[in-house]
Amino acid sequence: MRTFPLIVVLAALLSGCSSKTPEPEPNPDPGGDTPPEEPLPSGPPVEQGPPNVPEFQPAFPGQTRAPAIQTRTAFQVTEIASGFKNPWAIAFLPDSRILVTEKPTGSLYIVTPQGAKSPAVAGLPPVDGRGQGGLLDVEIGPDYAQSQLIYWTYYEPREGGNGLAVARARLVDGEQPRVENVQVIFRMMPTFESTLHAGGRLVFTPDGKLFVTLGERSHLPGRVQARDLGSHFGKIVRINPDGSVPQDNPFVGTEGARPEIWSVGHRNILSAALDSQKRLWTVEMGPKGGDELNLPEAGKDYGWPTIGYGEEYSGEPIHESPQGPGMEQPVYYWDPVISPSGMTIYTGDLFPEWRNNVFIGGLSSKALVRLMMRNDRVVGEERLLKELNARIREVVQGPEGALYLLTDATDGQLLKLTPR
């Protein structure tokens, strides 16, 4: 393993979460270790270019370009393993070995903490690995100790196109690991021919439910379905581990609605994590401008493509306004974009100053983006690991409190971030 020292020094504050409102009420106990009377960060934002759509102004103070902050703890980045072809996701087994997915090849590997890599796990179904497709997220089941079930998302090739699917199977360990009894528990519908914007993150909740984030397939016939309850495109869905529908989902019993739907009006959600209150947070990719941090709530409409803070890559407008009746505002947005991917909300002990901070992998921004939170608002932002000049695809907190990262490259790396 190789170790790269990275030292970043200055002051940082801690964060916490309460309830999401356009103008948050003061909270004397925000859930973090920072006393509420401690002053908030101030000053200019992190270095970035001018906004693509300067005429779109934030809906409330602090919704974008929060003050720049810097970590005071010295840290190092260690390479655990390399040679992955565009890896996408990490999940930890109970013995601290690491599942790593390889997007375009559809391969799944088991990696030891020392970096030894297994042969590809046998028995996974074929994937459509073109474009943004392939094998995406992986998670172990909440009952893994008894069932050995793992869950994954992938672009499923179908007659007439493709679509995101969620499968589960029993992981059989050994010199040649394999999966048995593969079941597809969810299929994004309708089937559509696109190699773009299918989402794909999985998040289990403490009560055993499973969130699946979905994109709107990018092309206009898919984009316009993002607010349509009859389509899975541009939605977050919530299912049981066997694929059945929880009866307290918001659109159960609504005529014409797909009952799996939790929230609507999303573009392409590639980042998702639970906070210390076990609420789901997401970050979705915008077009040219308009990446969004959201706290999705049951039954709510997040507006895409009617509202947003970006524009087409051509420079043509998409939205008449960034706000609209009945549609939710993002907690925070970026213009220009960070191109978000994996996400974790830090709860460990190795970096006390990071507790309750949000970490997001940045692709085009080539950074690990850190957000300091207070009362469900972003009060500071930092871009870490710019020195690596790498697209950060995934960030996961390990069992010991380290951060584990994947770089998106044809020779992708599994990295570990620890204090020095």
Side-chain angles (χ1 to χ4, degrees), residues 162-184:
N162 54 33
L164 190 91
V166 181
R168 70 176 184 176
R170 180 173 176 265
L171 178 64
V172 181
D173 214 341
E175 291 186 8
Q176 174 53 73
R178 67 187 191 277
V179 291
E180 291 183 343
N181 303 323
V182 176
Q183 299 174 287
V184 176

Side-chain angles (χ1 to χ4, degrees), residues 332-352:
Y332 193 72
Y333 72 88
W334 292 265
D335 181 15
V337 298
I338 58 170
S339 301
S341 195
M343 174 182 178
T344 197
I345 300 175
Y346 191 75
T347 60
D349 295 326
L350 289 185
F351 293 94

Side-chain angles (χ1 to χ4, degrees), residues 180-296:
E180 291 183 343
N181 303 323
V182 176
Q183 299 174 287
V184 176
I185 62 168
F186 173 80
R187 285 185 166 96
M188 167 191 270
M189 297 301 291
T191 295
F192 191 78
E193 177 56 43
S194 173
T195 63
L196 304 170
H197 294 194
R201 290 289 174 186
L202 297 172
V203 178
F204 277 104
T205 61
D207 63 356
K209 302 299 187 287
L210 178 59
F211 284 115
V212 187
T213 72
L214 304 173
E216 33 72 291
R217 312 313 310 274
S218 182
H219 304 302
L220 185 58
R223 178 189 286 186
V224 298
Q225 297 180 44
R227 300 179 63 209
D228 178 358
L229 291 175
S231 168
H232 286 137
F233 294 178
K235 310 298 191 299
I236 296 172
V237 300
R238 177 176 176 259
I239 56 176
N240 293 313
D242 63 358
S244 61
V245 176
Q247 290 307 295
D248 60 346
N249 272 6
F251 298 107
V252 168
T254 300
E255 185 176 357
R258 294 188 180 269
E260 303 88 357
I261 293 173
W262 176 261
S263 60
V264 311
H266 304 287
R267 184 173 182 267
N268 190 29
I269 303 175
L270 298 180
S271 314
L274 298 183
D275 66 11
S276 60
Q277 299 179 48
K278 309 307 178 186
R279 300 174 302 171
L280 180 70
W281 290 77
T282 62
V283 185
E284 64 187 81
M285 278 204 174
K288 190 177 177 183
D291 289 347
E292 293 185 1
L293 172 70
N294 284 301
L295 178 56

